[in-house]
C-alpha cells in the first residue's frame, strides 16, 4: 500500500467473489487480493488510516489498512431472526466513527434495518434496530444523524451514541424523493444538516437539497435543482 494511490474493487455482478486492486498514480497495477464472499461492493469511505467497503448484496463489509494493506472482515450478525438474506446500503467514516447498515428488508412489521457503529480507535461495536430501511448516517457534534425510509416517507433520526436515545421525524416532502447513496447526507454548519434527494420513482421531478434543523429535525428550506440534475454526493 505504500506506493498505492488508489484502490479499485472489481466485483462480480450477481455471483460471489471480487478482487481488490491497488494502482499507482499512472494507473499501473501494483498488487491485488481476492475475496470469495463479497458480492457487489458499491459503497466506500475512508479515514486517515483505513479504507472501508460495503457490499449491497450481502451483509459483508471489509476494511483495508492503508499502512500495510491488511484486509479485515467486518461482518456483524443481524439481530433479526426473520431473515438470513440481509444486504446493505452504506458504510461511512464520520468524525472518528465508522457506521454501516444491515438491510434486513421486509419483516412482519414492514421494512426493517439495523445500524452498526463504533469509534474507529476503540472498535467496540454498538448495534440498533430500526423500523425502515437505513439509507445513510453520519456522526456530528456527539450525535448520529440517520436517514431512513419506509414505503411512504423519508424519516430523519438523531441518536445519542451512548444512551441510544432516539428522536424521529417524518421529512415533509413528496414521498417519491429518496437519497441515492451514503454521501447524500452531510453537516452544513453547527445548526443545520443538508440532504440530497432525487426522484427515484418516475424521474419526472427535479432533484432537491433539503436543509434540516439539527435540534428539531424540521425542514428549514428546499433548494430545487435544474431539471435533469441528479445529486449523488455532498461535500
Amino acid at each position: 500500500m505504500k506506493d498505492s494511490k488508489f484502490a479499485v474493487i472489481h466485483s462480480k455482478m450477481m455471483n460471489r467473489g471480487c478482487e481488490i486492486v491497488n494502482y499507482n498514480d499512472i494507473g499501473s497495477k501494483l498488487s491485488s487480493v481476492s475475496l470469495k464472499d463479497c458480492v457487489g461492493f458499491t459503497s466506500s469511505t475512508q479515514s486517515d488510516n483505513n479504507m472501508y467497503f460495503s457490499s449491497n448484496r450481502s451483509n459483508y463489509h471489509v476494511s483495508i489498512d492503508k499502512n500495510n494493506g491488511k484486509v479485515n472482515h467486518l461482518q456483524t450478525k443481524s439481530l433479526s431472526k426473520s431473515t438470513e438474506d440481509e444486504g446493505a446500503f452504506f458504510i461511512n467514516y464520520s468524525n472518528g466513527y465508522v457506521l454501516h447498515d444491515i438491510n434486513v428488508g421486509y419483516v412482519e412489521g414492514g421494512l426493517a434495518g439495523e445500524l452498526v457503529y463504533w469509534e474507529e480507535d476503540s472498535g467496540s461495536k454498538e448495534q440498533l434496530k430500526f423500523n425502515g430501511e437505513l439509507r445513510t448516517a453520519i456522526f456530528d457534534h456527539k450525535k448520529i444523524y440517520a436517514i431512513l425510509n419506509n414505503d411512504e416517507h423519508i424519516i430523519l433520526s438523531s441518536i445519542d451514541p451512548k444512551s441510544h436515545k432516539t428522536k424521529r421525524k417524518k421529512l415533509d416532502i413528496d414521498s417519491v424523493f429518496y437519497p441515492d447513496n451514503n454521501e447524500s447526507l452531510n453537516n452544513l454548519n453547527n445548526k443545520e444538516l443538508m440532504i440530497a434527494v432525487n426522484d427515484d420513482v418516475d424521474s419526472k421531478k427535479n432533484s432537491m437539497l433539503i436543509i434540516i434543523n439539527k435540534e428539531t429535525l424540521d425542514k428549514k428550506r428546499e433548494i430545487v435543482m435544474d431539471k435533469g440534475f441528479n445529486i449523488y454526493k455532498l461535500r
Side-chain angles (χ1 to χ4, degrees), residues 118-135:
W118 65 95
E119 288 188 76
E120 187 181 47
D121 292 340
S122 73
S124 180
K125 292 183 179 180
E126 300 282 351
Q127 193 167 351
L128 299 174
K129 297 172 71 173
F130 286 89
N131 294 324
E133 291 177 332
L134 276 154
R135 288 292 182 150

Side-chain angles (χ1 to χ4, degrees), residues 164-223:
H164 297 165
K165 185 177 180 180
T166 301
K167 177 189 291 186
R168 290 166 63 98
K169 179 161 283 191
K170 182 179 73 175
L171 185 59
D172 182 25
I173 62 170
D174 194 313
S175 62
V176 301
F177 286 96
Y178 292 109
D180 268 344
N181 64 14
N182 63 313
E183 296 185 72
S184 56
L185 172 66
N186 213 332
N187 176 57
L188 183 60
N189 53 51
N190 290 338
K191 296 183 179 181
E192 296 172 319
L193 298 169
M194 182 166 54
I195 305 170
V197 294
N198 297 317
D199 176 1
D200 277 354
V201 175
D202 53 23
S203 301
K204 293 181 179 179
K205 299 187 178 183
N206 293 350
S207 303
M208 293 190 294
L209 292 174
I210 312 294
I211 310 302
I212 301 295
N213 182 297
K214 285 183 179 178
E215 185 63 30
T216 64
L217 301 183
D218 290 329
K219 181 183 72 175
K220 295 186 69 174
R221 62 187 182 275
E222 298 176 356
I223 303 169

Side-chain angles (χ1 to χ4, degrees), residues 32-232:
S32 66
V33 60
S34 295
L35 302 174
K36 65 179 182 179
D37 293 323
C38 60
V39 185
F41 279 109
T42 57
S43 176
S44 64
T45 189
Q46 63 177 317
S47 66
D48 289 340
N49 297 314
N50 296 286
M51 292 184 290
Y52 297 92
F53 297 89
S54 175
S55 167
N56 72 333
R57 294 188 177 273
S58 61
N59 177 22
Y60 187 87
H61 313 269
V62 297
S63 67
I64 304 174
D65 190 308
K66 290 183 179 180
N67 299 307
N68 56 34
K70 182 179 180 180
V71 177
N72 295 303
H73 302 265
L74 303 174
Q75 274 93 327
T76 305
K77 185 174 177 60
S78 171
L79 298 172
S80 172
K81 296 180 181 180
S82 62
T83 175
E84 296 180 354
D85 191 29
E86 297 90 0
F89 281 114
F90 73 90
I91 191 164
N92 268 342
Y93 173 79
S94 180
N95 296 310
Y97 274 74
V98 183
L99 313 97
H100 74 73
D101 75 310
I102 300 175
N103 177 26
V104 177
Y106 280 98
V107 297
E108 185 176 347
L111 285 170
E114 298 172 19
L115 177 66
V116 181
Y117 64 91
W118 65 95
E119 288 188 76
E120 187 181 47
D121 292 340
S122 73
S124 180
K125 292 183 179 180
E126 300 282 351
Q127 193 167 351
L128 299 174
K129 297 172 71 173
F130 286 89
N131 294 324
E133 291 177 332
L134 276 154
R135 288 292 182 150
T136 189
I138 61 172
F139 176 79
D140 185 69
H141 286 89
K142 299 183 180 180
K143 285 187 178 180
I144 293 171
Y145 296 95
I147 300 177
L148 304 95
N149 69 264
N150 55 27
D151 287 332
E152 298 178 351
H153 307 291
I154 296 177
I155 301 159
L156 303 177
S157 184
S158 64
I159 305 134
D160 185 313
K162 304 299 182 183
S163 69
H164 297 165
K165 185 177 180 180
T166 301
K167 177 189 291 186
R168 290 166 63 98
K169 179 161 283 191
K170 182 179 73 175
L171 185 59
D172 182 25
I173 62 170
D174 194 313
S175 62
V176 301
F177 286 96
Y178 292 109
D180 268 344
N181 64 14
N182 63 313
E183 296 185 72
S184 56
L185 172 66
N186 213 332
N187 176 57
L188 183 60
N189 53 51
N190 290 338
K191 296 183 179 181
E192 296 172 319
L193 298 169
M194 182 166 54
I195 305 170
V197 294
N198 297 317
D199 176 1
D200 277 354
V201 175
D202 53 23
S203 301
K204 293 181 179 179
K205 299 187 178 183
N206 293 350
S207 303
M208 293 190 294
L209 292 174
I210 312 294
I211 310 302
I212 301 295
N213 182 297
K214 285 183 179 178
E215 185 63 30
T216 64
L217 301 183
D218 290 329
K219 181 183 72 175
K220 295 186 69 174
R221 62 187 182 275
E222 298 176 356
I223 303 169
V224 180
M225 310 304 292
D226 291 337
K227 187 175 181 180
F229 189 91
N230 281 3
I231 312 166
Y232 286 98

